[in-house]
Amino acid sequence: GVTSFNTKQDFLQCLTLYSKNDPTIFNEVYTPSNSSYPSILQSKLENPRFNTTDTPKPVFIVTPTNESHIQATVYCTQKHGLQIRIRSGGHDYEGLSSRALTPPPFVIIDLFNLKRVSVDVTEKTAWVQAGATLGQVYYAIGQKSKTLAFPAGGCPTVGSGGHFSGGGYGLLVRKYGIAADNIIDAHLIDVNGRLLDRASMGEDLFWAIRGGGGNTFGIVTAWKINLVPVPPVVTIFSVSRTKEQKGIELLHRWQYLGSKLHEDLMILIFWGKNNSNLGGNVNAVTASFNTLFLGGVDRLLSIMNEDFPELGVVKEDCQEMTWLEAQISFAAGFTANLSTDVLLSNVSIFNVNFKGKSDFVTHPQPLKVIEEIWKRMEENVEIVRFGMTPFGGKMSEISESNVPYPHRAGILYKIGYLAAWNNNTVETAQRHINWLRSIYSYVAPYVSKNPRRAYVNYRDLDLGTNDQGYTSYKKASIWGVKYFHNNFDRLVKIKTVVDPTNYFRNEQTIPPFSY
Ligand code: FDA
């Protein structure tokens, strides 16, 4: 390829010079000839679909232990014409933190060594390094307090670097909004290798990095987050319903009330089959109603009896615990084992080949649509998980332009579609991807329109891609307005100012105007 032996030598020499002969930087650089290279490459690559011999591989993986080594890498990759991919938790749906589809050759900057979480209980804040996983963040908060929490996603191996960059939501979204709404400062290395904080980067750039998507504006090394209050006792339940148990009717009904319930109550749906993480979900298609309530069981049951009696939840379904334990329970698929190990594990709970897509729903879908999708789930697909998160509550109060993540008032719920398979042959992969695409086109009349919205953290290259990493404003707007709606133009303007040469890019990042 383009990277000759000289370029590689020059790059390494550049790192030596730039780091003023700091020998530790070389313990952090892996080349394909290094015996640890394959394991380092795979360790954070969530979707095994992008871990094949055909997947383009990085010429180097740099695993910095401090900011100055990132600055050196930013400088030297530009000097030697290499592109970079930033990786925190590696959960990008399209694997874009681990692969580049077009030249020039690329270097992965993997932030897994930067994982410190410092919680300040008095100030109710924390500094979180970008390589910290959500599990590590929740664990650190839980060690210090039973009544503080952070509103972000449920999967413990997701990284804060990518997750907060694209928005980030989970069980507290109806009460406190998304992760990006609750970030109050950040450390970022820009295209010139400067280490900036909120004051020195300015409000425009600080706005853009809270939801404008990763790998676009710079390398976030740490976030300062606002912790939110939760009661010392919360209640959870997970009940699953088959077709015979009126699963279809209950899903239909849930659409009308999920976003209208008291904001202390979150009923998240996992609809699908063969996913151990669905809460009791087995071979048959089921709808599970997975609930976090910020309060005790008696108050929860009285709300359920009043607002959603059809679900038939009884006391025996419910468990009182701390918020941290609830987070563990959700992550562990609602098992009774509440060991914190699941939060600190590096092994993902969803380690299968998958294709994902997303939708936002503004009007309840007709019963016949739910029936049809249920029927299709019973077809020849191995693993299906449609995660449906209701909004309303705080999400309706936050303006669309608060941060780049725009999907707020008027959205009843979000759908995160996943189709997954175990044995990654070309035929199996294509069958599952086609199945999902066909569902996606079938539901088009019953989801948000003009534009049909999508969630940037559920990255989907079907929506369009940059050519050779460079693209026109016009082309990028096709997927850009789906992800960012009216915030897209402001993101392009900021990108044009802070990264005019488009150094921070991938197949679906926001281009500066000049391209
Ligand atoms: P990864 O490292 O792959 O980064 C994602 C993107 O951000 C890449 O483009 C990367 O280059 C860039 N990036 C990473 N670190 C950066 C940094 N420090 N600075 C700048 N750019 C950076 N979402 C959600 O909202 N709620 C949820 O509950 C879940 N659950 C979930 C479960 C599972 C199993 C998966 C696979 C995914 C989710 N997600 C989710 C989606 C998740 O939020 C999304 O994939 C995030 O971008 C992942 O962030 P990572 O750091 O893990 O990924």
Side-chain angles (χ1 to χ4, degrees):
V2 185
T3 312
S4 62
F5 184 68
N6 276 347
T7 311
K8 289 188 185 177
Q9 290 294 78
D10 291 348
F11 175 72
L12 291 172
Q13 202 170 14
C14 177
L15 286 182
T16 322
L17 284 174
Y18 195 94
S19 63
K20 302 197 178 63
N21 291 320
D22 170 0
T24 62
I25 196 166
F26 289 107
N27 303 331
E28 300 167 7
V29 180
Y30 298 84
T31 65
S33 58
N34 190 301
S35 62
S36 309
Y37 173 96
S39 62
I40 296 275
L41 179 62
Q42 283 160 35
S43 63
K44 289 277 171 182
L45 179 47
E46 166 71 6
N47 195 341
R49 197 180 140 206
F50 304 115
N51 183 22
T52 67
T53 41
D54 296 340
T55 310
K57 304 281 189 300
V59 280
F60 298 100
I61 307 171
V62 184
T63 61
T65 51
N66 67 54
E67 277 88 355
S68 74
H69 294 173
I70 303 177
Q71 292 169 304
T73 310
V74 165
Y75 175 79
C76 297
T77 46
Q78 287 179 84
K79 186 153 191 271
H80 293 287
L82 298 162
Q83 61 171 320
I84 59 155
R85 294 295 146 118
I86 311 162
R87 190 162 79 168
S88 289
H91 280 48
D92 191 283
Y93 272 27
E94 298 281 4
L96 297 187
S97 50
S98 304
R99 61 180 191 138
L101 302 179
T102 51
F106 69 105
V107 172
I108 293 180
I109 302 178
D110 192 325
L111 301 179
F112 68 82
N113 283 321
L114 299 178
K115 54 173 191 275
R116 197 170 50 243
V117 182
S118 324
V119 177
D120 183 334
V121 181
T122 324
E123 207 189 63
K124 299 191 173 63
T125 59
W127 271 104
V128 173
Q129 285 192 307
T133 62
L134 298 183
Q136 288 163 343
V137 175
Y138 298 155
Y139 178 81
I141 298 171
Q143 291 300 97
K144 288 278 181 78
S145 166
K146 288 192 176 5
T147 54
L148 290 174
F150 188 66
C155 174
T157 45
V158 166
S160 2
H163 187 65
F164 301 177
S165 293
Y169 47 75
L171 298 166
L172 294 175
V173 72
R174 305 193 61 242
K175 178 85 174 182
Y176 294 115
I178 60 172
D181 295 326
N182 294 280
I183 292 169
I184 52 176
D185 202 342
H187 292 161
L188 175 96
I189 291 170
D190 75 358
V191 62
N192 300 312
R194 289 177 302 193
L195 178 59
L196 307 171
D197 66 3
R198 178 174 185 165
S200 54
M201 79 178 82
E203 287 303 302
D204 265 346
L205 182 52
F206 183 61
W207 176 84
I209 61 172
R210 287 173 296 159
N215 216 68
T216 306
F217 299 99
I219 303 173
V220 176
T221 60
W223 307 98
K224 187 176 188 184
I225 60 175
N226 240 340
L227 304 180
V228 299
V230 286
V233 174
V234 304
T235 309
I236 65 162
F237 69 76
S238 170
V239 296
S240 286
R241 300 292 184 246
T242 60
K243 194 157 62 181
E244 292 69 32
Q245 294 165 324
K246 297 217 170 320
I248 293 172
E249 291 78 3
L250 288 165
L251 278 181
H252 182 250
R253 177 79 191 117
W254 168 88
Q255 299 181 99
Y256 287 84
L257 51 85
S259 64
K260 311 239 162 27
L261 293 166
H262 192 286
E263 62 181 25
D264 285 346
L265 180 53
M266 156 63 82
I267 305 183
L268 173 93
I269 308 282
F270 283 156
W271 176 18
K273 70 174 180 188
N274 285 339
N275 186 341
S276 58
N277 199 27
L278 290 170
N281 206 307
V282 283
N283 294 345
V285 175
T286 59
S288 20
F289 297 78
N290 306 314
T291 298
L292 172 69
F293 178 63
L294 299 175
V297 64
D298 294 334
R299 206 178 124 225
L300 169 60
L301 286 174
S302 86
I303 297 179
M304 290 303 293
N305 288 334
E306 182 87 1
D307 294 335
F308 199 9
E310 303 90 331
L311 192 58
V313 173
V314 294
K315 200 162 192 163
E316 290 66 45
D317 297 321
C318 303
Q319 245 185 303
E320 290 186 332
M321 52 179 65
T322 64
W323 170 78
L324 185 72
E325 288 167 339
Q327 211 61 55
I328 297 170
S329 174
F330 273 80
F334 307 96
T335 54
N337 180 3
L338 293 182
S339 153
T340 49
D341 293 354
V342 66
L343 293 181
L344 303 176
S345 166
N346 281 323
V347 182
S348 166
I349 52 176
F350 196 76
N351 201 4
V352 280
N353 307 287
F354 68 87
K355 168 67 190 161
K357 297 176 91 65
S358 61
D359 259 322
F360 290 85
V361 178
T362 52
H363 298 85
Q365 298 182 347
L367 200 63
K368 66 160 202 258
V369 173
I370 299 172
E371 271 168 6
E372 173 65 21
I373 296 173
W374 194 293
K375 202 174 83 204
R376 293 191 188 196
M377 283 182 175
E378 289 166 342
E379 287 169 7
N380 190 15
V381 277
E382 292 174 28
I383 300 164
V384 182
R385 182 171 83 174
F386 289 4
M388 289 142 71
T389 311
F391 285 4
K394 182 80 175 174
M395 283 301 265
S396 304
E397 292 161 21
I398 298 175
S399 90
E400 178 173 323
S401 59
N402 184 50
V403 294
Y405 174 95
H407 318 295
R408 307 282 189 173
I411 305 292
L412 297 180
Y413 61 95
K414 159 237 99 177
I415 311 178
Y417 307 95
L418 290 176
W421 56 97
N422 288 303
N423 189 5
N424 195 31
T425 65
V426 175
E427 186 280 323
T428 312
Q430 207 52 55
R431 178 160 49 84
H432 285 79
I433 294 168
N434 289 346
W435 178 87
L436 191 56
R437 285 179 182 153
S438 136
I439 295 258
Y440 190 75
S441 73
Y442 168 71
V443 296
Y446 312 105
V447 295
S448 66
K449 289 186 220 26
N450 305 315
R452 182 173 185 176
R453 292 164 181 264
Y455 177 31
V456 70
N457 262 346
Y458 295 164
R459 188 177 295 292
D460 177 6
L461 293 183
D462 293 354
L463 303 177
T465 61
N466 296 325
D467 296 319
Q468 307 288 317
Y470 297 94
T471 199
S472 67
Y473 164 79
K474 203 167 160 224
K475 198 168 170 212
S477 358
I478 298 171
W479 43 265
V481 297
K482 292 176 192 291
Y483 288 144
F484 306 112
H485 210 228
N486 292 326
N487 294 326
F488 179 65
D489 279 355
R490 184 172 172 202
L491 288 168
V492 175
K493 282 190 191 119
I494 296 167
K495 173 75 175 178
T496 311
V497 173
V498 303
D499 183 22
T501 63
N502 206 18
Y503 166 66
F504 294 108
R505 65 175 185 274
N506 64 31
E507 287 66 24
Q508 220 179 48
T509 45
I510 294 161
F513 267 127
S514 46
Y515 288 104

